[in-house]
Amino acid sequence: MTERTHDDWLALAAKIEPATTAWIGGPVPSLSGATRTTVNPATGAVLAEVAECDEHDVDAAVAAARRAFEGGAWSAASPRDRAAVLHRIARKIEEHVEELALLDSLDAGKRIADTLAIDAPGSAAILRWYAESLDKVYGEVAPTGAADLAVVTREPLGVVAAVVPWNYPLEMAIWKIAPALAAGNSVILKPAEDSPLSALRLAGLAAEAGLPDGVLSVVPGAGPVVGRALGRHRGVDVVTFTGSTSTGQLFQQYAGQSNLKQVWLEAGGKSAVVVLDDVADLDAVADGVAAGIFTNTGQVCSATSRLVVQRGVADELVQRVVARASAINVGDPLDPATGMGPVVSERQAARVLALMETGAAQAREAHGGGLVPGMPAPTYVRPQVLLGVDPDAPIAQTEVFGPVLSVHVVDTVDEAVAVANGTPYALAAGLWTDSLSRAHGVARRLRAGTVSVNCVDALDVATPFGGFGQSGYGRDLSLHALDKFTGLKTTWIHHG
C-alpha cells in the first residue's frame, strides 16, 4: 500500500459517506425517526446524522437476535462453518482498511497513523485468531464409573449485548464481537455516542461476508437509554461492557433488576509505572513512560498515568519525560506527522482541562497542560506532567482519560509498591528495572491484571486483558474470553 500524505487523507475524508442507520437485519432508521449529530472533534464539523435508537429499537434488536439464535443458522453451525464466515469478515475489514481507519480517525479524533497501522488491521487479526481457535477448543469427559459417561460441553449463552467505548471504536467492538460470535451467540452492539460510524460500517461488511440476519445488530443511541434498555432487557443473556466504573456499577444493578444476566466489566484504571533505581538506559525508560500516558491523547483505560520512581534516578528521568512531553506535536490526526491528536469531544476536553487545573493546584510543579492555541476546535490539549503530587491527592486517584502524568518520588521498593497499589483500580501496571530478580519479585507484588516489564502496555490477542477491584473483572482477548460467552453443560449417560 502506498503511504498516503496529509493531503491524500484530507481528500479521502472529503469524499467519505458514512453509514448512518441502525442495523437490525439490515439498515434501518430508528423507529422514532430521531437522529444524533456526530461531530469531527478535530474540526468541529458535522460528520453525519446518525440514527438515535431507544427502547423500542432495542426490543426489535433483541427479538431479531433471539430468532436468529433459536433458528440455529449460526448457533448450531459447525465450528468450521462459523470460522469460515469470521475469516470472510476479517477479509472484508482488510479490503476496507483505509475506510475503517478513516472513519475512526474522523469520528474519534484518533491519529490516522494509529488507526491504519493498529486498530483496523488489528481488528481483522483478532477475528482470524478466534476463527482459528474454534476447532481447537475441546469439551471434557469427566471421570465416572464403568456404567456411566459424563460429557462436559461449552454451549453458547444466547443474546449478548456488547457496550463499547469511544477510544478504540472498531477494535473494542471486535474484542467483544469476535469471541461472542465464535462461540455461536447473537450479538447486539451499542457503540459509543461519540463514535458510532465504524460499527455501523462493520455491520454491513459482516452481512456481505455471509453472517446470517439477526446474528449481529448495531443499535446506536444514548447510554442512559439504549445501554439501560439492554442492561434491563430480559431477553439479553449477557452484557459485556468496557467503560467507566460508575456505568459498570449500573449494569450490575440492571442485571439484578431484570433476569440476573451475566455482566462482564472492563472498567476504569489509574495505572502506575514503577521505575527502580537500577535502570541504566533512562532514555529508553523516558520513551516508554511518555508512550504509556500520551498515546491516543491519554484516552486509554490502561494508560500509565502515574510515574512512581525511586529517588536515585528521579531527577534525570523526569527531565527527560518533561522534554518528551513538550516536544509532542499536537495537531491534525489526519497528518501522519502528528504526534498527538485532539480528545474525543469538547465535553471531554472541558473535563480534562478542569482536572489539569485541579492537578496543577495540587502539585509542587506543573509542566504543560491547557488548550493548544490556534487550533480549529477547542479539543486540542497539551500534555501535562505534574511533579510533587501526593499519592492520595484527587488528581492521583481520579481517572483523567487525558494526557496527564503525575509523578511520585519514593525511596524504597516497598514504598513504590504501596504507592502503585494505592488506588481502587487494578487494571495494569508498568515496571522498569535491569534486575531480573527484582522484575519477578516486584511484578508479583503489583496488583494489576497486566504488568508490563521493560515495555509499554503489553498486549496480544493470545493473552487475557482485564483487571481487579474497581477496574472490573472478566477478561477480554485470549481463549479465556470464550468463558464469558459460553456455559458449561454436563450430559450424563447411564448405559450399564
Side-chain angles (χ1 to χ4, degrees):
M1 183 185 300
T2 303
E3 186 172 334
R4 294 195 181 276
T5 66
H6 187 196
D7 287 340
D8 291 336
W9 287 113
L10 291 172
L12 287 173
K15 298 176 182 177
I16 200 162
E17 297 182 3
T20 59
T21 57
W23 190 279
I24 304 173
V28 293
S30 63
L31 290 172
S32 69
T35 61
R36 174 189 292 263
T37 303
T38 183
V39 173
N40 181 348
T43 64
V46 172
L47 287 171
E49 296 292 334
V50 175
E52 178 77 350
C53 295
D54 60 22
E55 300 93 335
H56 303 294
D57 302 280
V58 168
D59 287 340
V62 172
R66 183 62 62 187
R67 285 194 302 272
F69 183 76
E70 293 179 353
W74 184 256
S75 58
S78 70
R80 188 165 297 176
D81 289 342
R82 291 202 301 270
V85 175
L86 294 179
H87 275 300
R88 290 200 296 270
I89 299 173
R91 188 159 56 248
K92 286 288 184 180
I93 291 175
E94 290 162 349
E95 291 169 355
H96 295 266
V97 67
E98 288 192 336
E99 177 189 2
L100 291 165
L102 187 56
L103 285 172
D104 272 1
S105 185
L106 293 173
D107 216 10
K110 294 174 65 70
R111 295 194 320 149
I112 192 67
D114 292 332
T115 58
L116 184 65
I118 301 170
D119 299 24
S123 297
I126 290 168
L127 275 166
R128 291 195 183 281
W129 193 89
Y130 280 105
E132 291 294 338
S133 75
L134 284 184
D135 58 1
K136 302 171 184 66
V137 179
Y138 292 83
E140 305 167 11
V141 177
T144 62
D148 297 283
L149 174 66
V151 178
V152 182
T153 53
R154 287 192 171 276
E155 305 289 327
L157 292 173
V159 177
V160 173
V163 181
V164 298
W166 41 257
N167 57 334
Y168 289 87
L170 177 64
E171 197 167 16
M172 287 290 99
I174 293 295
W175 279 25
K176 312 295 188 183
I177 289 171
L181 291 180
N185 298 283
S186 298
V187 178
I188 302 169
L189 173 64
K190 192 205 102 54
E193 295 95 313
D194 288 320
S195 57
L197 298 182
S198 61
L200 296 172
R201 184 68 178 108
L202 175 65
L205 294 176
E208 292 175 18
L211 192 68
D213 287 349
V215 175
L216 175 63
S217 297
V218 180
V219 185
V225 178
V226 173
R228 181 177 183 271
L230 288 168
R232 290 178 57 85
H233 206 292
R234 294 181 180 275
V236 173
D237 301 294
V238 183
V239 168
T240 175
F241 167 76
T242 294
S244 70
T245 297
S246 58
T247 303
Q249 291 169 329
L250 289 176
F251 277 112
Q252 290 183 315
Q253 295 175 30
Y254 298 153
Q257 293 163 357
S258 54
N259 60 342
L260 292 180
K261 59 177 61 66
Q262 295 185 34
V263 178
W264 298 100
L265 304 177
E266 195 271 277
K270 190 66 179 175
S271 302
V273 54
V274 175
V275 180
L276 302 185
D277 58 8
D278 57 42
V279 292
D281 190 350
L282 290 178
D283 284 319
V285 177
D287 288 340
V289 171
I293 179 57
F294 301 131
T295 293
N296 201 31
T297 320
Q299 299 169 127
V300 182
C301 56
S302 54
T304 40
S305 56
R306 296 179 297 139
L307 168 59
V308 183
V309 55
Q310 279 194 286
R311 196 171 302 277
V313 295
D315 288 345
E316 291 184 61
L317 177 61
V318 169
Q319 289 175 9
R320 287 169 166 81
V321 172
V322 170
R324 282 159 174 75
S326 63
I328 291 175
N329 172 32
V330 183
D332 186 351
L334 293 186
D335 185 349
T338 290
M340 201 174 81
V343 295
V344 72
S345 66
E346 292 187 22
R347 180 182 64 254
Q348 178 66 8
R351 178 180 180 275
V352 170
L353 289 167
L355 287 168
M356 283 181 165
E357 185 176 348
T358 299
Q362 295 167 358
R364 184 187 73 249
E365 189 177 331
H367 296 268
L371 282 175
V372 179
M375 303 306 287
T379 50
Y380 294 83
V381 297
R382 296 187 299 161
Q384 184 182 61
V385 180
L386 302 172
L387 310 182
V389 178
D390 187 289
D392 294 325
I395 194 64
Q397 296 287 318
T398 302
E399 184 179 35
V400 177
F401 228 63
V404 180
L405 176 70
S406 60
V407 179
H408 312 281
V409 179
V410 298
D411 292 304
T412 68
V413 171
D414 288 344
E415 188 182 357
V417 171
V419 172
N421 290 344
T423 78
Y425 302 104
L427 181 57
L431 173 62
W432 293 82
T433 174
D434 289 348
S435 165
L436 182 60
S437 61
R438 276 179 134 187
H440 282 290
V442 175
R444 184 172 296 166
R445 296 171 64 189
L446 292 173
R447 187 167 182 262
T450 299
V451 180
S452 303
V453 181
N454 295 339
C455 57
V456 182
D457 203 13
L459 184 72
D460 189 85
V461 65
T463 56
F465 180 87
F468 310 105
Q470 290 190 22
S471 291
Y473 51 85
R475 295 296 182 265
D476 286 317
L477 304 178
S478 82
L479 292 178
H480 295 285
L482 296 172
D483 296 339
K484 300 189 298 186
F485 305 119
T486 56
L488 295 177
K489 178 178 180 179
T490 299
T491 303
W492 190 292
I493 302 171
H494 179 69
H495 56 82

